[in-house]
């Protein structure tokens, strides 16, 4: 049985707004959004989160305790550039100390520049934000490019456009389809601009992390198969293709022009060239797949019907489908040979709380982790060039509009006290990493389909 390549990165991820707390930073679009009545389940916000800005040494100690060889974190855009234009040296000092501590703990930093907490003065609806993002990238790279190799420019452009600008369910809370398509384009231009900044620093690797959802037709009918292709275009190809140098896919471009009733004039000459050909790797955030059926004509002639029958699901109801991750990685490596892949997020909500012994026996997360790592191994065996697996998340945190309810962590966080407790899954992951990716035997655990 083939195992993981030498130097494969085993890690976990977090992001600034979800864990740091507001101490010392500028106002973020998420601070503003969280004040909207009803915007966040339970009415929470990121003002305290996991208090990681103050407790960061504990977080690094956890990284070390688990033996992670990589840690994905984001520099808070609203912390580094409180007013959106000028860097705060104190914030950069913090991230410099943090990065040094990670390296000392034996973990490769994987640094995300935009994990959604942009300064409140900026919006992706405006093209000028691309320049502001490049200025921010320059400020961070100027300090850290000598010790950080892996840089993620943008986290999940589709989710930013969809939830932030199309449905208004995430900051900045805009609900307008045309604005969403335009904002998505600016996010991609931001990737290109930041990658150019990074490439002035030798040895850096720049990539975006895309939320990729394999789209399967619900039935074999021609209509459902077309729905799956359309949904794949909307969710995946619209971002993948331009990033990896193929430009916007013609079918989706025509689709948006029809849906919006006008040409995409915000895509200017030269834009696609400024987005493509700049990715040293592709980050893949994988959670679940979409099972699609045809819907009536309109901007979205497809709908998610989910898998039928009794399938394994997380506590958030998402189907657990590790085989889709394997197929996704294999498919991407065939379509984009020469572009290394990294699983930059993968995880699930399992709400297990500490029991009478003070421990968190999250056996379903263990099975989830084991089965997804096995899927990655199979992809590697099939020839996919995968460089790392970063579980989401190191710890329970502020899950955006869902507040503090969903728990994604390998480490439990008591949100009243901030106390951290390594869950059984965290310990399991530590053993798996120590064994070079070989799954420790846990006889009581049933594999998920
Ligand atoms: C992704 C986000 C991450 C977290 C996970 C559950 O969409 O990048 O911050 O919310 O989902």
């Amino acid at each position: 049985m083939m195992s993981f390549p030498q130097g494969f990165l085993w890690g976990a991820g977090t992001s600034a707004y979800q864990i740091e707390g507001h101490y010392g930073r500028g106002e973020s679009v998420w601070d503003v959004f969280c004040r909207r009545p009803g915007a966040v389940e339970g009415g929470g916000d990121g003002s305290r989160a996991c208090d990681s800005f103050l407790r960061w040494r504990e977080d690094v100690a956890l990284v070390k305790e688990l033996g992670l060889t990589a840690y994905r974190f984001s520099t808070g855009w609203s912390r580094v550039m409180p007013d959106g234009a000028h860097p705060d040296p104190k914030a950069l000092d913090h991230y410099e100390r943090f990065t040094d501590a990670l390296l000392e703990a034996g973990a490769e930093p994987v640094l995300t520049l935009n994990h959604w907490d942009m300064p409140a003065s900026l919006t992706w609806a405006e093209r000028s934000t691309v320049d502001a993002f490049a200025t921010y990238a320059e400020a961070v790279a100027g300090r850290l490019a000598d010790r950080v190799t892996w840089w993620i420019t943008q986290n999940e452009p589709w989710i930013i456009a969809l939830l932030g600008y199309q449905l208004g369910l995430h900051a900045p809370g805009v609900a307008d389809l045309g604005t969403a398509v335009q904002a998505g384009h600016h996010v991609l231009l931001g990737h290109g601009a930041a990658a150019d900044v990074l490439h002035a620093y030798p040895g850096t690797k720049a990539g975006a992390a895309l939320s990729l959802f394999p789209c399967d037709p619900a039935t074999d009918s021609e209509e459902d198969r077309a729905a799956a292709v359309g949904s794949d275009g909307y969710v995946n190809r619209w971002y993948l293709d331009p990033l990896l140098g193929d430009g916007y896919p013609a079918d989706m471009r025509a689709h948006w022009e029809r849906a919006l009733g006008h040409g995409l004039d915000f895509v200017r000459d030269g834009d696609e060239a400024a987005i493509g050909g700049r990715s040293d790797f592709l980050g893949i955030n994988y959670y679940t797949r979409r099972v699609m059926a045809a819907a009536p004509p309109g901007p979205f002639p497809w709908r998610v019907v989910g898998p039928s029958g009794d399938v394994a699901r997380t506590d958030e109801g998402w189907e657990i489908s590790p085989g889709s991750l394997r197929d996704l990685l294999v498919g991407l490596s065939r379509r984009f040979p020469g572009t290394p892949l990294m699983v930059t997020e993968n995880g699930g909500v399992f709400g297990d709380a500490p029991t009478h012994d003070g421990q968190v026996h999250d056996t379903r997360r263990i099975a989830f982790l084991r089965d997804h790592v096995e899927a990655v191994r199979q992809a590697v065996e099939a020839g996919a060039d995968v460089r790392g697996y970063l579980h989401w998340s190191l710890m329970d945190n502020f899950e955006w509009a869902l507040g503090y309810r969903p728990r994604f962590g390998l480490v439990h966080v008591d949100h009243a006290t901030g106390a951290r407790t390594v869950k059984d899954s965290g310990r399991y992951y530590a053993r798996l990493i120590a064994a070079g990716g070989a799954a420790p035997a846990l006889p009581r655990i049933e594999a998920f389909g």
Side-chain angles (χ1 to χ4, degrees):
M1 188 164 94
M2 189 170 163
S3 75
F4 292 91
Q6 266 285 316
F8 188 88
L9 296 176
W10 294 104
T14 58
S15 84
Y17 193 86
Q18 293 179 276
I19 64 164
E20 282 186 355
H22 73 181
Y23 186 84
R25 69 164 153 73
E27 185 152 78
S28 139
V29 288
W30 269 91
D31 295 324
V32 178
F33 183 69
C34 289
R35 289 199 287 269
R36 278 195 190 179
V40 176
E41 205 182 301
D45 61 26
S47 57
R48 182 149 129 195
C50 305
D51 235 353
S52 286
F53 183 72
L54 300 175
R55 301 177 77 141
W56 64 270
R57 286 186 183 80
E58 275 178 70
D59 296 352
V60 176
L62 287 167
V63 166
K64 190 167 178 183
E65 185 180 335
L66 299 190
L68 304 185
T69 62
Y71 179 61
R72 177 180 177 212
F73 67 101
S74 73
T75 45
W77 189 355
S78 59
R79 184 180 293 288
V80 173
M81 313 285 280
D83 65 355
H86 305 92
D88 174 358
K90 291 196 303 300
L92 294 166
D93 291 346
H94 167 76
Y95 290 119
E96 204 170 350
R97 277 193 296 271
F98 183 77
T99 301
D100 287 343
L102 272 183
L103 289 166
E104 222 178 281
E108 188 79 35
V110 178
L111 190 156
T112 311
L113 286 167
N114 176 31
H115 205 127
W116 306 354
D117 75 319
M118 70 200 300
S121 55
L122 300 174
T123 164
W124 287 113
E126 300 291 340
R127 193 175 168 107
S128 56
T129 298
V130 175
D131 294 334
F133 187 55
T135 307
Y136 160 58
E138 181 63 62
V140 182
R143 278 292 188 97
L144 295 175
D146 60 346
R147 57 206 101 161
V148 175
T149 302
W150 298 92
W151 294 76
I152 295 171
T153 53
Q154 301 282 20
N155 181 65
E156 302 192 342
W158 176 57
I159 297 290
I160 296 177
L162 170 74
L163 298 183
Y165 296 85
Q166 181 185 318
L167 300 177
L169 296 174
H170 275 189
V174 175
D176 179 75
L177 183 57
T179 310
V181 182
Q182 181 160 339
H185 179 59
H186 296 155
V187 170
L188 290 181
L189 281 174
H191 159 81
D196 285 349
V197 166
L198 290 164
H199 287 148
Y201 295 88
T204 55
K205 293 184 195 294
L210 297 186
S211 51
L212 295 178
F213 291 83
C215 298
D216 297 324
T219 71
D220 212 26
S221 74
E222 202 177 307
E223 292 76 15
D224 287 355
R225 279 188 283 128
V229 171
S231 161
D232 180 50
Y234 169 53
V235 172
N236 304 320
R237 289 183 288 118
W238 186 251
Y239 300 93
L240 260 179
D241 291 20
L243 270 179
L244 296 181
D246 289 351
Y248 285 115
D251 63 332
M252 279 309 294
R253 197 170 176 142
H255 175 81
W256 285 136
E257 288 177 352
R258 263 195 318 275
L260 300 174
H262 56 75
L264 306 185
D265 44 355
F266 49 83
V267 181
R268 300 186 192 159
D269 285 351
D271 279 4
E272 282 157 295
I275 294 167
R278 283 159 172 74
S279 292
D280 303 305
F281 70 101
L282 175 69
I284 294 136
N285 295 357
Y286 170 76
Y287 287 92
T288 192
R289 66 181 182 133
R290 283 157 65 96
V291 177
M292 307 305 302
F300 302 101
W302 50 77
R303 65 198 163 94
V304 180
V305 291
S308 55
D310 196 11
V311 299
R313 294 176 192 275
T314 69
D315 284 348
E316 211 56 25
W318 295 11
E319 181 194 1
I320 299 172
S321 180
S324 306
L325 174 59
R326 177 198 56 227
D327 297 349
L328 173 65
L329 294 170
V330 171
L332 287 168
S333 68
R334 292 204 178 129
R335 186 164 167 218
F336 304 107
T339 301
L341 309 175
M342 188 186 294
V343 179
T344 38
E345 285 184 28
N346 169 242
V349 175
F350 300 102
D352 309 274
T355 51
H356 61 282
D357 57 359
Q359 303 297 309
V360 182
H361 304 299
D362 56 339
T363 50
R364 293 172 303 155
R365 179 173 286 101
I366 292 177
F368 182 101
L369 178 61
R370 180 189 61 185
D371 293 349
H372 284 80
V373 166
E374 170 58 15
V376 177
R377 193 197 62 74
Q378 288 174 8
V380 169
E381 193 167 57
D385 180 7
V386 190
R387 302 294 174 93
Y389 172 85
L390 312 180
H391 194 76
W392 186 272
S393 168
L394 176 64
M395 59 186 135
D396 298 334
N397 56 46
F398 177 68
E399 183 46 38
W400 310 111
L402 301 178
Y404 289 94
R405 178 184 50 77
R407 291 184 178 273
F408 274 98
L410 296 162
V411 174
H412 180 271
V413 176
D414 178 330
H415 291 307
T417 64
R420 283 108 160 109
T421 306
V422 177
K423 299 181 190 178
D424 284 1
S425 59
R427 269 193 280 277
Y428 177 86
Y429 194 31
R431 286 167 51 206
L432 181 148
I433 295 169
L442 283 185
R444 281 185 301 122
I445 292 167
E446 297 297 318
F448 284 124

